[in-house]
Amino acid sequence: MLTCRVLGLVVLVFRGDLAKDAELLVLRHENAVLRRHASPVRYEQADRVWLAVLARLIPRNRWAEVFPVTPATLLAWHRRLAAKKYDTSKRRKPGRPPTVPDIARLIVRLAKENPLWGHRRIHGELTKLGVTVAPSTVWEILRAAGIDPAPRRAGPTWRQFLHAQAAGIVAVDFLHVDTVLLRRLYVLVFIEHGTRRMHLGGVTANPTGEWTVQQARNLALAIDERFEDIKFLIRDRGSNFTASFDAMFQATGARILRTAVQAPRMNATCERLVGTPGTRQSPELRA
């Protein structure tokens, strides 16, 4: 079906302008008549792919006149196509076996006898004893037992810290955008907590460590003197953020704060602002 459609498109390109315009007028009128009388149409996957590809060749303001579906439906089809490419749910195993009861009891005992130990400290002690268990498993066992996996110490909470130091905090993160050909592009953004101002670092298909360092240099040139006012940089533990990247900020006295594993709320401001343009796919990002 795809081969027939491509060959038909080639024939259409080499046809005369007058014949094409007449055929388009006939097809448009026939489409309007079918919309008035036909019942709701069920589109197959190949139909959705073909319409989504052709949508990129027609101006956005003409979509409502040409296509039998709304522009939002076309964009939803493209997002669904991109999500299907990266879906790994069918390759996942049913799950991991439950933790041995003796290990679970040992974890709870260590937590009760050492109330100031968090789940990572307990995981470290278990590793010394030769017990192989993931930190996330320790966290889940403690929560199920009604024990706080990360007991509060003296000092402000993370939210209080972010409010008190907002003027000197910069968060950095990557968002990704999938093109119509399912090519994934990565966008690096820096966000100032105090003003919620977002700086676009750059767009690339291969975000290496050297490229990320260069974007940090560009940020230093863009904000000039305000770069020295950065006291804290919040980032995740991705391999793109190398030691050279951290050194760019540490040279001015800034501290690097790495978020915990699978804890997006530690960088909530960046995650929220990154998710908005990534979901809506603004024209600037598509360009």
Side-chain angles (χ1 to χ4, degrees):
M1 182 181 294
L2 182 60
T3 303
C4 294
R5 296 292 175 84
V6 172
L7 292 177
L9 183 61
V10 173
V11 174
L12 184 63
V13 170
F14 290 99
R15 190 178 299 177
D17 294 338
L18 182 60
K20 287 193 293 184
D21 294 341
E23 184 175 346
L24 288 175
L25 290 176
V26 173
L27 293 176
R28 184 179 297 179
H29 183 72
E30 182 181 0
N31 191 19
V33 173
L34 292 176
R35 289 187 188 182
R36 291 198 300 266
H37 299 283
S39 58
V41 181
R42 300 293 182 181
Y43 293 98
E44 298 180 357
Q45 183 65 21
D47 301 326
R48 297 189 182 98
V49 173
W50 182 245
L51 293 177
V53 172
L54 292 179
R56 297 298 178 181
L57 305 178
I58 301 176
R60 179 71 64 85
N61 54 5
R62 298 287 307 282
W63 283 8
E65 303 174 4
V66 177
F67 293 102
V69 295
T70 63
T73 302
L74 289 172
L75 294 177
W77 286 351
H78 179 260
R79 289 195 297 269
R80 194 178 305 166
L81 179 64
K84 185 177 181 180
K85 176 183 177 182
Y86 300 101
D87 184 18
T88 60
S89 58
K90 295 182 179 179
R91 299 197 297 266
R92 297 173 185 169
K93 296 181 179 179
R96 58 186 179 185
T99 307
V100 178
D102 292 340
I103 296 179
R105 287 193 293 268
L106 177 60
I107 292 173
V108 174
R109 178 182 173 184
L110 289 175
K112 291 182 177 180
E113 295 180 357
N114 304 275
L116 295 181
W117 286 8
H119 72 285
R120 291 199 170 274
R121 174 65 184 277
I122 296 176
H123 171 261
E125 297 297 330
L126 292 175
T127 303
K128 295 177 183 179
L129 298 175
V131 178
T132 303
V133 63
S136 59
T137 302
V138 178
W139 188 92
E140 293 175 356
I141 292 174
L142 294 179
R143 287 299 297 267
I147 302 174
D148 189 358
R152 288 280 302 120
R153 272 75 173 180
T157 63
W158 180 251
R159 177 177 295 183
Q160 291 171 345
F161 165 76
L162 294 179
H163 280 289
Q165 303 292 337
I169 295 178
V170 170
V172 59
D173 203 351
F174 278 96
L175 66 91
H176 64 264
V177 180
D178 295 308
T179 64
V180 66
L181 299 179
L182 301 183
R183 184 191 180 197
R184 175 154 292 188
L185 300 178
Y186 296 88
V187 185
L188 181 66
V189 293
F190 298 89
I191 300 178
E192 302 180 34
H193 268 231
T195 60
R196 296 298 192 271
R197 181 180 300 172
M198 183 167 63
H199 303 275
L200 178 62
V203 182
T204 181
N206 186 23
T208 61
E210 294 77 6
W211 181 86
T212 309
V213 172
Q214 182 58 45
Q215 305 315 311
R217 296 192 185 102
N218 296 342
L219 175 68
L221 294 176
I223 64 178
D224 198 12
E225 296 180 355
R226 290 193 295 114
F227 189 78
E228 298 181 357
D229 296 334
I230 300 176
K231 303 302 180 183
F232 302 95
L233 176 73
I234 300 178
R235 66 169 180 83
D236 58 27
R237 298 170 179 264
S239 59
N240 315 89
F241 303 116
T242 60
S244 300
F245 177 85
D246 293 343
M248 286 292 302
F249 296 89
Q250 292 172 342
T252 60
R255 290 182 56 188
I256 308 299
L257 303 179
R258 297 189 301 171
T259 59
V261 179
Q262 297 182 354
R265 290 188 178 182
M266 290 190 66
N267 200 1
T269 300
C270 201
E271 292 286 344
R272 182 166 58 251
L273 294 180
V274 162
T276 301
T279 302
R280 297 179 181 175
Q281 292 196 0
S282 61
E284 294 79 2
L285 293 178
R286 287 196 303 272

PDB file of all heavy atoms in Angstrom, residues 237-268:
ATOM      1  N   ARG A 237      21.676  12.589  36.908  1.00  0.00           N
ATOM      2  CA  ARG A 237      22.921  11.822  36.912  1.00  0.00           C
ATOM      3  C   ARG A 237      23.266  11.281  35.521  1.00  0.00           C
ATOM      4  O   ARG A 237      23.956  10.273  35.404  1.00  0.00           O
ATOM      5  CB  ARG A 237      22.811  10.661  37.912  1.00  0.00           C
ATOM      6  CG  ARG A 237      22.601  11.127  39.336  1.00  0.00           C
ATOM      7  CD  ARG A 237      22.249   9.982  40.272  1.00  0.00           C
ATOM      8  NE  ARG A 237      22.069  10.476  41.631  1.00  0.00           N
ATOM      9  CZ  ARG A 237      23.001  10.460  42.561  1.00  0.00           C
ATOM     10  NH1 ARG A 237      24.183   9.955  42.289  1.00  0.00           N
ATOM     11  NH2 ARG A 237      22.766  10.945  43.770  1.00  0.00           N
ATOM     12  N   GLY A 238      22.788  11.946  34.462  1.00  0.00           N
ATOM     13  CA  GLY A 238      23.061  11.493  33.111  1.00  0.00           C
ATOM     14  C   GLY A 238      24.539  11.594  32.760  1.00  0.00           C
ATOM     15  O   GLY A 238      25.268  12.461  33.259  1.00  0.00           O
ATOM     16  N   SER A 239      24.988  10.688  31.884  1.00  0.00           N
ATOM     17  CA  SER A 239      26.394  10.682  31.477  1.00  0.00           C
ATOM     18  C   SER A 239      26.756  11.879  30.613  1.00  0.00           C
ATOM     19  O   SER A 239      27.941  12.144  30.391  1.00  0.00           O
ATOM     20  CB  SER A 239      26.698   9.386  30.711  1.00  0.00           C
ATOM     21  OG  SER A 239      25.860   9.281  29.561  1.00  0.00           O
ATOM     22  N   ASN A 240      25.742  12.621  30.127  1.00  0.00           N
ATOM     23  CA  ASN A 240      26.036  13.812  29.326  1.00  0.00           C
ATOM     24  C   ASN A 240      26.688  14.903  30.166  1.00  0.00           C
ATOM     25  O   ASN A 240      27.438  15.733  29.633  1.00  0.00           O
ATOM     26  CB  ASN A 240      24.745  14.362  28.712  1.00  0.00           C
ATOM     27  CG  ASN A 240      23.882  13.279  28.118  1.00  0.00           C
ATOM     28  OD1 ASN A 240      23.050  12.724  28.823  1.00  0.00           O
ATOM     29  ND2 ASN A 240      24.074  12.960  26.854  1.00  0.00           N
ATOM     30  N   PHE A 241      26.390  14.929  31.452  1.00  0.00           N
ATOM     31  CA  PHE A 241      26.944  15.954  32.346  1.00  0.00           C
ATOM     32  C   PHE A 241      28.256  15.422  32.928  1.00  0.00           C
ATOM     33  O   PHE A 241      28.267  14.715  33.935  1.00  0.00           O
ATOM     34  CB  PHE A 241      25.943  16.294  33.452  1.00  0.00           C
ATOM     35  CG  PHE A 241      24.609  16.752  32.920  1.00  0.00           C
ATOM     36  CD1 PHE A 241      23.457  16.005  33.158  1.00  0.00           C
ATOM     37  CD2 PHE A 241      24.496  17.915  32.180  1.00  0.00           C
ATOM     38  CE1 PHE A 241      22.235  16.413  32.674  1.00  0.00           C
ATOM     39  CE2 PHE A 241      23.268  18.330  31.691  1.00  0.00           C
ATOM     40  CZ  PHE A 241      22.139  17.582  31.937  1.00  0.00           C
ATOM     41  N   THR A 242      29.335  15.763  32.286  1.00  0.00           N
ATOM     42  CA  THR A 242      30.651  15.257  32.664  1.00  0.00           C
ATOM     43  C   THR A 242      31.291  16.141  33.731  1.00  0.00           C
ATOM     44  O   THR A 242      30.724  17.169  34.140  1.00  0.00           O
ATOM     45  CB  THR A 242      31.553  15.197  31.430  1.00  0.00           C
ATOM     46  OG1 THR A 242      31.686  16.531  30.892  1.00  0.00           O
ATOM     47  CG2 THR A 242      30.953  14.289  30.358  1.00  0.00           C
ATOM     48  N   ALA A 243      32.501  15.748  34.152  1.00  0.00           N
ATOM     49  CA  ALA A 243      33.239  16.549  35.137  1.00  0.00           C
ATOM     50  C   ALA A 243      33.600  17.913  34.570  1.00  0.00           C
ATOM     51  O   ALA A 243      33.630  18.917  35.303  1.00  0.00           O
ATOM     52  CB  ALA A 243      34.491  15.792  35.576  1.00  0.00           C
ATOM     53  N   SER A 244      33.870  17.980  33.273  1.00  0.00           N
ATOM     54  CA  SER A 244      34.184  19.274  32.649  1.00  0.00           C
ATOM     55  C   SER A 244      32.974  20.200  32.666  1.00  0.00           C
ATOM     56  O   SER A 244      33.113  21.417  32.832  1.00  0.00           O
ATOM     57  CB  SER A 244      34.661  19.050  31.211  1.00  0.00           C
ATOM     58  OG  SER A 244      35.814  18.246  31.176  1.00  0.00           O
ATOM     59  N   PHE A 245      31.792  19.626  32.503  1.00  0.00           N
ATOM     60  CA  PHE A 245      30.573  20.435  32.577  1.00  0.00           C
ATOM     61  C   PHE A 245      30.411  21.019  33.983  1.00  0.00           C
ATOM     62  O   PHE A 245      30.106  22.210  34.145  1.00  0.00           O
ATOM     63  CB  PHE A 245      29.371  19.565  32.207  1.00  0.00           C
ATOM     64  CG  PHE A 245      28.045  20.267  32.317  1.00  0.00           C
ATOM     65  CD1 PHE A 245      27.560  21.043  31.284  1.00  0.00           C
ATOM     66  CD2 PHE A 245      27.284  20.147  33.479  1.00  0.00           C
ATOM     67  CE1 PHE A 245      26.337  21.681  31.398  1.00  0.00           C
ATOM     68  CE2 PHE A 245      26.054  20.772  33.588  1.00  0.00           C
ATOM     69  CZ  PHE A 245      25.592  21.539  32.545  1.00  0.00           C
ATOM     70  N   ASP A 246      30.599  20.191  35.010  1.00  0.00           N
ATOM     71  CA  ASP A 246      30.484  20.678  36.384  1.00  0.00           C
ATOM     72  C   ASP A 246      31.544  21.731  36.682  1.00  0.00           C
ATOM     73  O   ASP A 246      31.292  22.697  37.420  1.00  0.00           O
ATOM     74  CB  ASP A 246      30.624  19.513  37.364  1.00  0.00           C
ATOM     75  CG  ASP A 246      29.455  18.539  37.264  1.00  0.00           C
ATOM     76  OD1 ASP A 246      28.421  18.928  36.704  1.00  0.00           O
ATOM     77  OD2 ASP A 246      29.602  17.402  37.741  1.00  0.00           O
ATOM     78  N   ALA A 247      32.747  21.572  36.113  1.00  0.00           N
ATOM     79  CA  ALA A 247      33.836  22.514  36.387  1.00  0.00           C
ATOM     80  C   ALA A 247      33.511  23.912  35.889  1.00  0.00           C
ATOM     81  O   ALA A 247      33.992  24.897  36.463  1.00  0.00           O
ATOM     82  CB  ALA A 247      35.129  22.016  35.752  1.00  0.00           C
ATOM     83  N   MET A 248      32.698  24.024  34.842  1.00  0.00           N
ATOM     84  CA  MET A 248      32.317  25.344  34.332  1.00  0.00           C
ATOM     85  C   MET A 248      31.586  26.148  35.402  1.00  0.00           C
ATOM     86  O   MET A 248      31.759  27.365  35.523  1.00  0.00           O
ATOM     87  CB  MET A 248      31.425  25.188  33.100  1.00  0.00           C
ATOM     88  CG  MET A 248      32.161  24.748  31.847  1.00  0.00           C
ATOM     89  SD  MET A 248      33.289  26.036  31.249  1.00  0.00           S
ATOM     90  CE  MET A 248      32.136  27.384  31.004  1.00  0.00           C
ATOM     91  N   PHE A 249      30.773  25.495  36.213  1.00  0.00           N
ATOM     92  CA  PHE A 249      30.016  26.186  37.255  1.00  0.00           C
ATOM     93  C   PHE A 249      30.795  26.249  38.569  1.00  0.00           C
ATOM     94  O   PHE A 249      30.683  27.229  39.310  1.00  0.00           O
ATOM     95  CB  PHE A 249      28.669  25.474  37.465  1.00  0.00           C
ATOM     96  CG  PHE A 249      27.773  25.526  36.262  1.00  0.00           C
ATOM     97  CD1 PHE A 249      27.846  24.537  35.287  1.00  0.00           C
ATOM     98  CD2 PHE A 249      26.862  26.549  36.100  1.00  0.00           C
ATOM     99  CE1 PHE A 249      27.026  24.574  34.170  1.00  0.00           C
ATOM    100  CE2 PHE A 249      26.030  26.594  34.995  1.00  0.00           C
ATOM    101  CZ  PHE A 249      26.119  25.605  34.020  1.00  0.00           C
ATOM    102  N   GLN A 250      31.557  25.208  38.839  1.00  0.00           N
ATOM    103  CA  GLN A 250      32.338  25.203  40.079  1.00  0.00           C
ATOM    104  C   GLN A 250      33.432  26.267  40.070  1.00  0.00           C
ATOM    105  O   GLN A 250      33.897  26.674  41.132  1.00  0.00           O
ATOM    106  CB  GLN A 250      32.949  23.815  40.291  1.00  0.00           C
ATOM    107  CG  GLN A 250      31.920  22.736  40.604  1.00  0.00           C
ATOM    108  CD  GLN A 250      32.511  21.351  40.617  1.00  0.00           C
ATOM    109  OE1 GLN A 250      33.597  21.123  40.082  1.00  0.00           O
ATOM    110  NE2 GLN A 250      31.795  20.395  41.222  1.00  0.00           N
ATOM    111  N   ALA A 251      33.840  26.712  38.888  1.00  0.00           N
ATOM    112  CA  ALA A 251      34.872  27.742  38.801  1.00  0.00           C
ATOM    113  C   ALA A 251      34.428  29.062  39.410  1.00  0.00           C
ATOM    114  O   ALA A 251      35.247  29.865  39.867  1.00  0.00           O
ATOM    115  CB  ALA A 251      35.287  27.951  37.342  1.00  0.00           C
ATOM    116  N   THR A 252      33.118  29.296  39.460  1.00  0.00           N
ATOM    117  CA  THR A 252      32.584  30.517  40.053  1.00  0.00           C
ATOM    118  C   THR A 252      32.081  30.295  41.479  1.00  0.00           C
ATOM    119  O   THR A 252      31.446  31.185  42.054  1.00  0.00           O
ATOM    120  CB  THR A 252      31.436  31.065  39.188  1.00  0.00           C
ATOM    121  OG1 THR A 252      30.388  30.079  39.107  1.00  0.00           O
ATOM    122  CG2 THR A 252      31.924  31.389  37.790  1.00  0.00           C
ATOM    123  N   GLY A 253      32.341  29.117  42.042  1.00  0.00           N
ATOM    124  CA  GLY A 253      31.928  28.835  43.416  1.00  0.00           C
ATOM    125  C   GLY A 253      30.595  28.140  43.553  1.00  0.00           C
ATOM    126  O   GLY A 253      30.104  27.964  44.677  1.00  0.00           O
ATOM    127  N   ALA A 254      29.990  27.724  42.436  1.00  0.00           N
ATOM    128  CA  ALA A 254      28.685  27.060  42.505  1.00  0.00           C
ATOM    129  C   ALA A 254      28.844  25.612  42.951  1.00  0.00           C
ATOM    130  O   ALA A 254      29.863  24.971  42.692  1.00  0.00           O
ATOM    131  CB  ALA A 254      27.993  27.124  41.148  1.00  0.00           C
ATOM    132  N   ARG A 255      27.821  25.112  43.621  1.00  0.00           N
ATOM    133  CA  ARG A 255      27.793  23.717  44.054  1.00  0.00           C
ATOM    134  C   ARG A 255      26.888  22.920  43.122  1.00  0.00           C
ATOM    135  O   ARG A 255      25.833  23.397  42.696  1.00  0.00           O
ATOM    136  CB  ARG A 255      27.277  23.595  45.483  1.00  0.00           C
ATOM    137  CG  ARG A 255      28.226  24.142  46.544  1.00  0.00           C
ATOM    138  CD  ARG A 255      27.642  23.932  47.934  1.00  0.00           C
ATOM    139  NE  ARG A 255      27.325  22.518  48.170  1.00  0.00           N
ATOM    140  CZ  ARG A 255      26.666  22.091  49.256  1.00  0.00           C
ATOM    141  NH1 ARG A 255      26.260  22.960  50.178  1.00  0.00           N
ATOM    142  NH2 ARG A 255      26.423  20.805  49.423  1.00  0.00           N
ATOM    143  N   ILE A 256      27.302  21.696  42.810  1.00  0.00           N
ATOM    144  CA  ILE A 256      26.536  20.819  41.935  1.00  0.00           C
ATOM    145  C   ILE A 256      25.657  19.917  42.784  1.00  0.00           C
ATOM    146  O   ILE A 256      26.154  19.165  43.628  1.00  0.00           O
ATOM    147  CB  ILE A 256      27.464  19.974  41.038  1.00  0.00           C
ATOM    148  CG1 ILE A 256      28.469  20.879  40.316  1.00  0.00           C
ATOM    149  CG2 ILE A 256      26.653  19.159  40.054  1.00  0.00           C
ATOM    150  CD1 ILE A 256      27.832  21.905  39.409  1.00  0.00           C
ATOM    151  N   LEU A 257      24.348  19.997  42.583  1.00  0.00           N
ATOM    152  CA  LEU A 257      23.387  19.172  43.320  1.00  0.00           C
ATOM    153  C   LEU A 257      22.799  18.155  42.348  1.00  0.00           C
ATOM    154  O   LEU A 257      22.038  18.514  41.452  1.00  0.00           O
ATOM    155  CB  LEU A 257      22.283  20.041  43.930  1.00  0.00           C
ATOM    156  CG  LEU A 257      22.742  21.163  44.865  1.00  0.00           C
ATOM    157  CD1 LEU A 257      21.538  21.945  45.371  1.00  0.00           C
ATOM    158  CD2 LEU A 257      23.537  20.602  46.032  1.00  0.00           C
ATOM    159  N   ARG A 258      23.158  16.895  42.523  1.00  0.00           N
ATOM    160  CA  ARG A 258      22.630  15.830  41.673  1.00  0.00           C
ATOM    161  C   ARG A 258      21.347  15.269  42.288  1.00  0.00           C
ATOM    162  O   ARG A 258      21.307  14.965  43.486  1.00  0.00           O
ATOM    163  CB  ARG A 258      23.658  14.723  41.485  1.00  0.00           C
ATOM    164  CG  ARG A 258      24.933  15.173  40.764  1.00  0.00           C
ATOM    165  CD  ARG A 258      25.808  13.984  40.420  1.00  0.00           C
ATOM    166  NE  ARG A 258      26.192  13.249  41.627  1.00  0.00           N
ATOM    167  CZ  ARG A 258      26.818  12.069  41.580  1.00  0.00           C
ATOM    168  NH1 ARG A 258      27.080  11.503  40.412  1.00  0.00           N
ATOM    169  NH2 ARG A 258      27.149  11.468  42.708  1.00  0.00           N
ATOM    170  N   THR A 259      20.334  15.110  41.482  1.00  0.00           N
ATOM    171  CA  THR A 259      19.074  14.579  41.981  1.00  0.00           C
ATOM    172  C   THR A 259      19.218  13.094  42.277  1.00  0.00           C
ATOM    173  O   THR A 259      20.062  12.397  41.699  1.00  0.00           O
ATOM    174  CB  THR A 259      17.958  14.785  40.941  1.00  0.00           C
ATOM    175  OG1 THR A 259      18.326  14.124  39.717  1.00  0.00           O
ATOM    176  CG2 THR A 259      17.766  16.267  40.669  1.00  0.00           C
ATOM    177  N   ALA A 260      18.390  12.612  43.174  1.00  0.00           N
ATOM    178  CA  ALA A 260      18.414  11.193  43.511  1.00  0.00           C
ATOM    179  C   ALA A 260      17.884  10.367  42.345  1.00  0.00           C
ATOM    180  O   ALA A 260      17.232  10.878  41.425  1.00  0.00           O
ATOM    181  CB  ALA A 260      17.584  10.939  44.770  1.00  0.00           C
ATOM    182  N   VAL A 261      18.170   9.075  42.367  1.00  0.00           N
ATOM    183  CA  VAL A 261      17.733   8.177  41.303  1.00  0.00           C
ATOM    184  C   VAL A 261      16.206   8.070  41.317  1.00  0.00           C
ATOM    185  O   VAL A 261      15.595   7.863  42.377  1.00  0.00           O
ATOM    186  CB  VAL A 261      18.377   6.789  41.475  1.00  0.00           C
ATOM    187  CG1 VAL A 261      17.902   5.846  40.386  1.00  0.00           C
ATOM    188  CG2 VAL A 261      19.890   6.909  41.454  1.00  0.00           C
ATOM    189  N   GLN A 262      15.594   8.234  40.147  1.00  0.00           N
ATOM    190  CA  GLN A 262      14.141   8.139  39.993  1.00  0.00           C
ATOM    191  C   GLN A 262      13.415   9.073  40.963  1.00  0.00           C
ATOM    192  O   GLN A 262      12.454   8.689  41.622  1.00  0.00           O
ATOM    193  CB  GLN A 262      13.665   6.698  40.190  1.00  0.00           C
ATOM    194  CG  GLN A 262      14.218   5.725  39.164  1.00  0.00           C
ATOM    195  CD  GLN A 262      13.699   4.316  39.348  1.00  0.00           C
ATOM    196  OE1 GLN A 262      13.002   4.016  40.314  1.00  0.00           O
ATOM    197  NE2 GLN A 262      14.028   3.435  38.428  1.00  0.00           N
ATOM    198  N   ALA A 263      13.897  10.323  41.049  1.00  0.00           N
ATOM    199  CA  ALA A 263      13.266  11.331  41.904  1.00  0.00           C
ATOM    200  C   ALA A 263      13.094  12.620  41.107  1.00  0.00           C
ATOM    201  O   ALA A 263      13.791  13.608  41.339  1.00  0.00           O
ATOM    202  CB  ALA A 263      14.105  11.569  43.158  1.00  0.00           C
ATOM    203  N   PRO A 264      12.160  12.640  40.130  1.00  0.00           N
ATOM    204  CA  PRO A 264      11.995  13.829  39.302  1.00  0.00           C
ATOM    205  C   PRO A 264      11.520  15.053  40.073  1.00  0.00           C
ATOM    206  O   PRO A 264      11.723  16.178  39.632  1.00  0.00           O
ATOM    207  CB  PRO A 264      10.958  13.383  38.255  1.00  0.00           C
ATOM    208  CG  PRO A 264      10.221  12.256  38.906  1.00  0.00           C
ATOM    209  CD  PRO A 264      11.231  11.565  39.771  1.00  0.00           C
ATOM    210  N   ARG A 265      10.899  14.852  41.248  1.00  0.00           N
ATOM    211  CA  ARG A 265      10.411  16.006  42.008  1.00  0.00           C
ATOM    212  C   ARG A 265      11.551  16.850  42.571  1.00  0.00           C
ATOM    213  O   ARG A 265      11.335  18.001  42.943  1.00  0.00           O
ATOM    214  CB  ARG A 265       9.510  15.530  43.144  1.00  0.00           C
ATOM    215  CG  ARG A 265       8.178  14.963  42.668  1.00  0.00           C
ATOM    216  CD  ARG A 265       7.246  14.685  43.825  1.00  0.00           C
ATOM    217  NE  ARG A 265       5.955  14.185  43.381  1.00  0.00           N
ATOM    218  CZ  ARG A 265       4.933  13.903  44.179  1.00  0.00           C
ATOM    219  NH1 ARG A 265       5.090  14.063  45.497  1.00  0.00           N
ATOM    220  NH2 ARG A 265       3.800  13.455  43.695  1.00  0.00           N
ATOM    221  N   MET A 266      12.738  16.287  42.661  1.00  0.00           N
ATOM    222  CA  MET A 266      13.867  17.088  43.128  1.00  0.00           C
ATOM    223  C   MET A 266      14.220  18.180  42.117  1.00  0.00           C
ATOM    224  O   MET A 266      14.844  19.182  42.468  1.00  0.00           O
ATOM    225  CB  MET A 266      15.089  16.202  43.385  1.00  0.00           C
ATOM    226  CG  MET A 266      14.948  15.291  44.579  1.00  0.00           C
ATOM    227  SD  MET A 266      16.491  14.476  45.015  1.00  0.00           S
ATOM    228  CE  MET A 266      17.486  15.880  45.550  1.00  0.00           C
ATOM    229  N   ASN A 267      13.832  17.970  40.859  1.00  0.00           N
ATOM    230  CA  ASN A 267      14.030  18.987  39.824  1.00  0.00           C
ATOM    231  C   ASN A 267      12.679  19.309  39.203  1.00  0.00           C
ATOM    232  O   ASN A 267      12.519  19.350  37.986  1.00  0.00           O
ATOM    233  CB  ASN A 267      15.001  18.472  38.755  1.00  0.00           C
ATOM    234  CG  ASN A 267      15.615  19.595  37.938  1.00  0.00           C
ATOM    235  OD1 ASN A 267      15.334  20.767  38.175  1.00  0.00           O
ATOM    236  ND2 ASN A 267      16.451  19.248  36.984  1.00  0.00           N
ATOM    237  N   ALA A 268      11.703  19.561  40.070  1.00  0.00           N
ATOM    238  CA  ALA A 268      10.312  19.681  39.631  1.00  0.00           C
ATOM    239  C   ALA A 268      10.105  20.845  38.680  1.00  0.00           C
ATOM    240  O   ALA A 268       9.367  20.737  37.700  1.00  0.00           O
ATOM    241  CB  ALA A 268       9.392  19.825  40.846  1.00  0.00           C
TER     242      ALA A 268
END
